Amino acid sequence: MQPKGIIIYKPRFTLVIGLVLLLAIPMIPFSLSARNIQDTLPFSTMITLDRAQKLVQEEKMDQAMEMLEAHRSERKNKEKPVHPFLLFTLGNYYMEANKASAAALSYESALKQAPDFAPAWLNLARARYDLQRFKGAGESFINGYDREEKKRGILLYYAANAYFSAKAYPDTLVLFDRLFRDHKEEMKPRWRELLVHALLAENLPEKALPHMEFLAATLGGKVKTQWQETLLYHYMTLKMDAKALEYVQYLTREYPLEPRWWKGLARFNLDKNRLKKALVAMTIYSYLTPLTDSETQLLADLNLHGGIPVQAVDLFQGLARTQSRPGLVKKIVAALQQMNCPDKALEAVDQGIRDHETSMELKMIKGNLLFAMERYPEAQALFNSLAKEDSSGRAWLMLGYSQWNLGELKHARRAMEKAATFKQQKKAARRALKTLPHS
């Protein structure tokens, strides 16, 4: 029977994340131009921009922004258009001053006049992302990409990243289709991590598997290990048993000193109810890393089920030094019984009863031990004291057997008749009544 209630393996790498952080997106400096936008600068605007730049170089950013805002107001008051390049530059200054909201407004104003100015789209995308306007950031990246003369795949990746952050997963997947189609040679291996996140968010783990396999095979260091673990986890959860077994065996062979692979092998065998193989894997795991309490209990359970009670009792007793649970006492007693040490088992259950005075289960275990040890008078006294409290009727049944062995047949028959009124004991009690001699 498989030990229940213990989760022994899951990836330490949390795969689906709430927010994928953008890579460092450089601001487009105001010296760049698109479609010769600077060629149309009015002379007064050109002078103002030059003075503002000098103030920035002198680390007087606030004064530079005030100068550009003053020029902007002056142009408006004279009902003259404000050149989009000035608005773009003002937006850059606001971004450097960590005023993303004001920056976004400046970029948007610039784009109303110069909608094909790619740098403004890209810096607007950065501002919107900082403001957590992720869907708008994705749209801005795509607009910037579409308007650049030389198309850069990384902009589509940034757009996909922004859409993912907006939980617009289908849009993220569409952009990866474009990346694979138009920029496959530019794609960096780690870009696929975002693709896996999106596919899993859309509940498409089978489509994510080839990309997990690529990441697990291609990346290095801790990230490689994380993806190996994630891949193994998905093989197992998708019930791809042959793949999972082949892969975890490969991992234990190639990385025998990595504890998590032995834990993964134990989990696989445990899921298949191959308890002996699970025990071997968990034992090796225990040699490589300190066990948690739940792992210690699992290893103890496996030893108990595997007929190695000496190991089991040591592990259970180790847990009992820091935990106080009737369930642990029960397992210690079971292990000591397997070792044919009834006296030690009785000592263990007595200690358990002292620690858990209200535990009916432990008192019943003690009664069963006394009965098995043929200490019938003590067993009779204990079961007699428990019978009225025991809702299962088991105490009445065992009281009857104890009295039978003591030759108290009349009392034994009464106890068995009482036990037969309980559904759980009816069959055993009636069988006993048929063979019980009449006094």
Side-chain angles (χ1 to χ4, degrees):
M1 181 178 177
Q2 179 175 322
K4 300 292 185 182
I6 302 174
I7 298 173
I8 68 159
Y9 175 79
K10 64 179 180 179
R12 302 175 194 184
F13 179 41
T14 304
L15 189 57
V16 180
I17 54 180
L19 176 66
V20 178
L21 295 179
L22 281 174
L23 301 178
I25 304 171
M27 293 295 300
I28 305 298
F30 71 81
S31 58
L32 293 181
S33 63
R35 298 198 175 184
N36 303 314
I37 192 171
Q38 294 183 79
D39 292 347
T40 59
L41 278 171
F43 183 73
S44 62
T45 300
M46 192 182 303
I47 295 297
T48 301
L49 285 168
D50 185 61
R51 289 175 178 171
Q53 186 178 15
K54 289 177 180 176
L55 287 170
V56 170
Q57 290 169 350
E58 295 171 5
E59 299 184 358
K60 298 176 180 178
M61 178 64 74
D62 289 343
Q63 293 180 37
M65 290 188 291
E66 288 172 7
M67 180 177 288
L68 295 187
E69 285 287 10
H71 184 79
R72 179 184 191 178
S73 297
E74 182 183 343
R75 299 284 295 182
K76 282 188 174 181
N77 289 338
K78 294 180 178 179
E79 297 184 353
K80 293 181 178 180
V82 181
H83 197 276
F85 196 74
L86 182 137
L87 297 169
F88 171 72
T89 304
L90 182 58
N92 288 351
Y93 290 170
Y94 277 130
M95 282 297 289
E96 289 183 34
N98 294 317
K99 297 180 178 179
S101 183
L105 291 172
S106 291
Y107 294 137
E108 289 164 359
S109 297
L111 288 166
K112 287 178 182 177
Q113 298 182 59
D116 291 327
F117 188 31
W121 280 114
L122 299 178
N123 285 2
L124 175 59
R126 168 66 184 276
R128 286 175 168 172
Y129 197 96
D130 286 356
L131 294 166
Q132 298 189 13
R133 300 173 188 168
F134 300 123
K135 191 76 179 285
E139 293 167 355
S140 298
F141 278 123
I142 292 172
N143 273 307
Y145 169 86
D146 288 339
R147 286 162 175 77
E148 281 198 329
E149 292 183 13
K150 184 179 180 181
K151 306 300 183 188
R152 293 182 291 158
I154 195 170
L155 298 181
L156 294 182
Y157 172 68
Y158 286 154
N161 205 323
Y163 280 131
F164 182 89
S165 297
K167 299 184 179 180
Y169 307 125
D171 293 325
T172 303
L173 297 178
V174 167
L175 286 168
F176 269 99
D177 286 341
R178 289 180 68 179
L179 278 168
F180 276 105
R181 184 184 67 237
D182 300 334
H183 299 280
K184 192 170 184 179
E185 70 289 348
E186 292 179 51
M187 287 189 64
K188 297 179 181 179
R190 294 204 65 173
W191 290 9
R192 296 202 196 200
E193 292 181 308
L194 179 62
L195 175 57
V196 172
H197 299 325
L199 287 167
L200 292 179
E202 283 292 280
N203 197 28
L204 297 170
E206 292 87 353
K207 290 189 176 181
L209 276 178
H211 303 290
M212 291 184 201
E213 291 167 344
F214 173 85
L215 291 165
T218 305
L219 300 179
K222 291 182 179 180
V223 179
K224 180 185 186 74
T225 304
Q226 290 170 343
W227 281 108
Q228 288 172 329
E229 190 171 16
T230 301
L231 177 59
L232 174 60
Y233 174 79
H234 280 84
Y235 281 151
M236 291 167 66
T237 54
L238 292 170
K239 306 299 182 185
M240 300 173 68
D241 293 347
K243 278 271 193 184
L245 181 58
E246 179 186 5
Y247 193 54
V248 75
Q249 287 176 335
Y250 158 79
L251 292 170
T252 54
R253 185 172 62 251
E254 292 296 314
Y255 311 96
L257 298 181
E258 174 52 61
R260 74 186 74 190
W261 307 141
W262 294 105
K263 190 174 182 180
L265 182 58
R267 161 69 192 275
F268 178 84
N269 285 312
L270 194 63
D271 283 351
K272 303 303 170 191
N273 209 33
R274 300 169 185 167
L275 300 187
K276 288 185 178 179
K277 291 184 177 181
L279 172 58
V280 171
M282 276 303 292
T283 301
I284 295 172
Y285 175 75
S286 72
Y287 296 152
L288 296 173
T289 187
L291 300 181
T292 65
D293 285 351
S294 62
E295 290 167 348
T296 300
Q297 172 136 3
L298 174 66
L299 183 56
D301 285 338
L302 288 170
N303 274 287
L304 187 60
H305 283 84
I308 311 175
V310 175
Q311 291 286 355
V313 78
D314 284 346
L315 291 163
F316 284 133
Q317 286 177 335
L319 285 172
R321 282 191 284 272
T322 58
Q323 301 179 24
S324 180
R325 291 187 282 116
L328 272 179
V329 178
K330 181 180 176 182
K331 290 182 177 181
I332 290 170
V333 170
L336 288 168
Q337 284 182 293
Q338 276 194 25
M339 293 165 63
N340 197 26
C341 298
D343 291 326
K344 289 185 177 180
L346 191 57
E347 288 176 14
V349 78
D350 277 335
Q351 181 60 55
I353 291 170
R354 284 193 291 273
D355 295 338
H356 307 279
E357 295 178 359
T358 61
S359 174
M360 173 67 73
E361 183 178 27
L362 291 183
K363 292 173 184 177
M364 287 295 297
I365 289 172
K366 179 179 179 178
N368 291 334
L369 272 172
L370 290 168
F371 184 88
M373 295 167 74
E374 300 183 2
R375 292 165 62 169
Y376 301 123
E378 294 169 79
Q380 177 190 221
L382 181 55
F383 286 127
N384 190 47
S385 70
L386 297 177
K388 291 182 180 179
E389 301 175 38
D390 176 24
S391 60
S392 73
R394 175 76 179 171
W396 284 111
L397 183 71
M398 293 307 298
L399 175 60
Y401 279 126
S402 300
Q403 291 168 333
W404 187 351
N405 279 277
L406 288 168
E408 299 177 8
L409 302 183
K410 185 176 180 180
H411 291 101
R413 181 170 293 278
R414 287 177 183 171
M416 290 298 185
E417 288 172 348
K418 188 68 176 178
T421 64
F422 292 83
K423 183 178 180 181
Q424 296 142 288
Q425 313 306 330
K426 184 181 293 184
K427 187 180 292 185
R430 286 182 174 178
R431 188 165 55 245
L433 287 167
K434 286 180 181 178
T435 57
L436 181 66
H438 289 275
S439 56

